[in-house]
Amino acid sequence: MSSPRLQIDELVIGAGEGDRSSTPVRGASLAIGAGEILGLVGESGSGKTLTGLACLGLFQPGVRPVSGTVTVDGQAISALPERERRKLRGPSVAMVFQDPLSSFHPGLTIGSQIVHSLLDRGVSRADAKKRCLEVLGEVGLPRPDAQAKRYPHQLSGGMRQRAMIALALANRPRVLIADEPTTALDPTVQAGILRLLRRLADDGLAILFISHNLGVVAGLCDRVAVMYQGQIVESGPTAELIGAPRDAYTKTLLAAAPTLPEPGELGIEAVPVDAPRVAAVVDVDAETALFDLRGVSRHFTTRSRGRRSTVHALDGIDLTIRRNTSVGVVGESGSGKSTLARLLGALDHPSTGQVSFDGQDIATLSKEQMRSFRRRVQFVFQDATSSLDPRYTIRDTLAEALSTHGVREPGEQSRRIAALLDQVRLPQQLLGRHPRELSGGQRQRVAIARALAPRPEVLIADEPVSALDVSIQAQVMEVFRDLAENDGLTLVMVSHDLALIRDVCDTLVTLYNGTIMENAEADTYYDQPRHPYSAALLDAMPNPRHIGRLPEVLALGEPADPTAPPSGCRFHPRCTQAQDLCASTVPLLRPEPGRELACHFPLQVAAPARKAEL
Ligand code: SF4
């Protein structure tokens, strides 16, 4: 490498004082050249973000540099006084964070904030305005003049992230630190941002890309450095490191990273184009149907700046969920996934239509029947911390759940508590601990154990592992798989991560803008994407096996506004396959072997981009 744009040598960062002092970064070294993207990978607390901030000479309260040097574009930023460092931030090195809202001032327009960042560097107002529009265009925002006049909250998540990248690039930095810049985005939107970063690097920018996601890093980065407990344990070219990892921690990370099969890999027999329309997924009799939804809609009224609007969270859903199945509910943010889960769990009620459980409309259940329903159907939420009482030990939490459902005899309670801990693979020694004394993964397993206490028939889990590190996610998903396979539970799992639920769910319901696009057997879904929206979701999923290959962008733009659903097929403004009929006529869910599908022009066995690779 010719002289690197960013070089970190033996960086040591300390935190805290006295007994509570620690060394969260312990001798990290790395270098990045022009036009190169280095992925810095590791789990929460590994020291990635502190290392990234140190590249700008920034340290959080209580955190301090101890030794080592950070050189940006030939200047040792670590040796400069703060006044001099500040001059380098913007023109030499800039940073993009996970949450753009925390970087933008909510009361100022996007344009004025970009212009100010240029004025601060001595650029004339006329040139600053010109550069502002130019950089908004560079990051792919449509109609930069209109976007410049908008406030941060008026932009969608993906547009806001592009605007933040524009703010970082305004002063033409030589090095960009991107800290989990796509973690909060839907995979379909993430795919566009990753392509933007690759293009910026190809134009000469040096990028430090901080991420916990090996799939994203495999596709985007030229080289990878793996960080564990403040040290870089392994680094090298992406293909070498992912193809043949040497360090035990890298191997653990890779083993835990969920992957998707390639289309055709599962060897499902292809569906002939004119196959007889046989209902497979939908062929359910009353015996096997546990939940049955007919014409279910859920609308909310919102008010913003004096204007009333109706959010179409769900619209006209017909769906049957069979006993002893595990159903994944997938789709982008705002597609209606969580609303559907809440209706199934009777945590909410439909605006119109009927949700039946075991043959009876939930709306007509008596108090006594509702009590029984609450025992039979249990919920697990994303945030275990807020769902557990911090004052209770794990034993208290489980004992209370058992008492509520009539198990009060101390001996029986103890036996059941021990069995519950075994079921979720937690050691008995944890019984006396409080939630704050457990890791995130342990807390989520306690939440699952509590849900299992009344021996429910149905477990509804809403993004149960999305807040956890990848190795912990894998452990918790194994618990769910066991429950579905061995305990005869009916599992409904909401997730935006198709790779994560791949080994757990046998059926996938795909929602978009409040409607069902596809309801398919999992193997058929993964092996032969037929609905263009499902194909777009699958192609957008990062995959550690796809080294140097970025996810495809098969869904144009961002999800439709639920207050103004598009006409005809709701996906048509984003669909690369759309034809005139799609804008005018709603496609009905039609059965075919292994799936129900709402599309006028389904893909023939595989999406074009995927087909070319086979
Ligand atoms: Fe695309 Fe048309 Fe099918 Fe909708 S109906 S998914 S717009 S091809």
Side-chain angles (χ1 to χ4, degrees):
M1 190 194 304
S2 57
S3 65
R5 285 271 182 88
L6 173 70
Q7 183 155 354
I8 301 177
D9 288 307
E10 293 296 326
L11 178 68
V12 177
I13 298 178
E17 300 290 336
D19 289 356
R20 296 178 161 247
S21 68
S22 62
T23 313
V25 177
R26 300 186 289 146
S29 300
L30 55 84
I32 311 175
E36 194 182 34
I37 307 181
L38 175 83
L40 185 58
V41 186
E43 296 183 290
S44 319
S46 58
K48 309 185 298 291
T49 294
L50 293 180
T51 303
L53 287 168
C55 297
L56 289 92
L58 293 173
F59 298 93
Q60 294 159 335
V63 175
R64 61 189 180 282
V66 175
S67 60
T69 55
V70 177
T71 309
V72 176
D73 213 15
Q75 295 212 56
I77 195 167
S78 47
L80 296 174
E82 174 56 21
R83 190 165 35 85
E84 295 300 316
R85 286 180 190 173
R86 214 175 291 147
K87 289 184 192 160
L88 294 183
R89 289 177 204 138
S92 288
V93 56
M95 188 152 182
V96 176
F97 299 92
Q98 178 177 340
D99 176 14
L101 275 181
S102 63
S103 303
F104 280 122
H105 189 300
L108 296 173
T109 62
I110 298 292
S112 67
Q113 297 186 57
I114 294 177
V115 167
H116 270 113
S117 77
L118 289 153
L119 294 177
D120 287 349
R121 301 279 170 251
V123 178
S124 73
R125 186 166 287 276
D127 284 350
K129 283 185 176 172
K130 196 166 148 230
R131 173 67 184 147
C132 169
L133 297 187
E134 186 182 79
V135 76
L136 286 173
E138 276 174 19
V139 299
L141 280 172
R143 299 189 44 233
D145 48 341
Q147 309 303 344
K149 294 182 189 130
R150 301 176 81 182
Y151 291 89
H153 73 272
Q154 293 176 314
L155 299 182
S156 65
M159 287 170 88
R160 214 156 37 217
Q161 194 55 280
R162 280 176 194 267
M164 188 163 70
I165 295 173
L167 177 64
L169 295 180
N171 283 290
R172 297 192 173 87
R174 314 261 292 161
V175 175
L176 183 71
I177 313 295
D179 187 1
E180 304 269 7
T182 58
T183 301
L185 303 176
D186 278 312
T188 43
V189 180
Q190 168 176 268
I193 301 283
L194 295 180
R195 280 172 184 269
L196 166 64
L197 292 173
R198 187 66 256 176
R199 182 167 57 73
L200 293 170
D202 291 345
D203 289 344
L205 192 64
I207 300 179
L208 176 65
F209 185 86
I210 297 172
S211 179
H212 68 283
N213 188 323
L214 273 167
V216 170
V217 165
L220 178 70
C221 299
D222 303 296
R223 287 187 302 121
V224 184
V226 180
M227 203 158 187
Y228 178 64
Q229 293 187 347
Q231 291 181 311
I232 292 179
V233 293
E234 184 167 8
S235 65
T238 307
E240 277 176 31
L241 187 135
I242 291 186
R246 290 192 308 269
D247 183 80
Y249 178 65
T250 312
K251 288 179 188 166
T252 309
L253 272 188
L254 272 166
T259 53
L260 284 173
E262 300 296 323
E265 195 175 78
L266 302 177
I268 305 292
E269 204 183 313
V271 180
V273 177
D274 54 356
R277 298 288 177 190
V278 182
V281 176
V282 286
D283 190 10
V284 185
D285 56 39
E287 279 279 284
T288 57
L290 191 56
F291 284 101
D292 193 47
L293 285 72
R294 291 300 128 203
V296 168
S297 297
R298 181 67 175 108
H299 297 168
F300 305 94
T301 305
T302 60
R303 250 177 212 287
S304 171
R305 296 171 180 253
R307 265 190 53 215
R308 266 167 69 102
S309 44
T310 303
V311 176
H312 295 244
L314 283 179
D315 256 340
I317 300 287
D318 290 330
L319 175 68
T320 302
I321 293 177
R322 290 170 294 160
R323 275 171 224 279
N324 306 335
T325 51
S326 36
V327 179
V329 181
V330 300
E332 295 163 292
S333 317
S335 58
K337 306 188 297 290
S338 293
T339 306
L340 176 60
R342 290 175 62 79
L343 291 179
L344 293 173
L347 301 180
D348 192 7
H349 51 82
S351 308
T352 56
Q354 182 175 315
V355 181
S356 300
F357 176 72
D358 212 2
Q360 191 173 354
D361 182 353
I362 292 178
T364 66
L365 295 181
S366 66
K367 251 188 177 169
E368 190 52 40
Q369 287 169 322
M370 184 49 92
R371 208 168 299 137
S372 157
F373 176 88
R374 294 269 174 242
R375 185 193 64 73
R376 296 171 70 187
V377 180
Q378 290 284 314
F379 240 95
V380 176
F381 297 95
Q382 178 182 348
D383 182 7
T385 308
S386 65
S387 72
L388 297 174
D389 191 322
R391 297 164 304 171
Y392 282 18
T393 63
I394 307 315
R395 182 184 286 106
D396 296 340
T397 298
L398 298 179
E400 192 204 31
L402 288 165
S403 295
T404 308
H405 294 284
V407 183
R408 300 197 177 92
E409 197 275 310
E412 173 65 2
Q413 261 195 7
S414 295
R415 269 192 301 282
R416 290 277 292 272
I417 287 172
L420 284 168
L421 248 57
D422 284 348
Q423 223 175 342
V424 297
R425 303 186 193 176
L426 278 179
Q428 306 289 331
Q429 299 91 289
L430 297 186
L431 276 174
R433 299 213 188 152
H434 291 85
R436 67 173 181 280
E437 298 169 295
L438 303 180
S439 70
Q442 287 172 334
R443 275 196 292 270
Q444 192 56 289
R445 279 184 274 177
V446 172
I448 298 170
R450 184 182 55 184
L452 295 175
R455 295 194 170 132
E457 291 158 53
V458 183
L459 202 56
I460 301 174
D462 190 352
E463 299 276 10
V465 298
S466 58
L468 305 176
D469 273 323
V470 60
S471 57
I472 313 292
Q473 280 186 340
Q475 294 166 11
V476 177
M477 289 307 282
E478 263 182 49
V479 171
F480 279 113
R481 192 169 55 218
D482 264 10
L483 293 171
E485 281 177 6
N486 306 325
D487 293 72
L489 269 177
T490 301
L491 182 66
V492 178
M493 184 171 288
V494 170
S495 179
H496 69 282
D497 191 332
L498 283 161
L500 203 61
I501 59 171
R502 147 111 190 80
D503 289 335
V504 175
C505 297
D506 47 40
T507 306
L508 295 183
V509 177
T510 308
L511 292 176
Y512 180 71
N513 201 236
T515 60
I516 294 180
M517 295 275 130
E518 181 167 8
N519 178 14
E521 289 168 7
D523 282 352
T524 313
Y525 185 94
Y526 287 107
D527 209 43
Q528 296 173 9
R530 286 262 289 152
H531 196 289
Y533 181 58
S534 305
L537 291 178
L538 283 165
D539 270 324
M541 288 307 301
N543 189 333
R545 290 154 72 183
H546 293 174
I547 294 165
R549 193 173 105 200
L550 289 172
E552 294 293 333
V553 182
L554 293 182
L556 310 169
E558 298 200 22
D561 180 354
T563 64
S567 61
C569 171
R570 293 191 176 184
F571 186 54
H572 86 262
R574 302 176 69 199
C575 182
T576 53
Q577 311 290 311
Q579 300 184 32
D580 290 348
L581 177 68
C582 304
S584 60
T585 309
V586 177
L588 302 177
L589 264 181
R590 289 183 309 178
E592 62 175 53
R595 57 178 29 124
E596 288 177 295
L597 196 65
C599 178
H600 297 304
F601 307 104
L603 302 169
Q604 303 302 309
V605 178
R610 315 181 118 225
K611 211 173 181 178
E613 297 158 12
L614 294 176

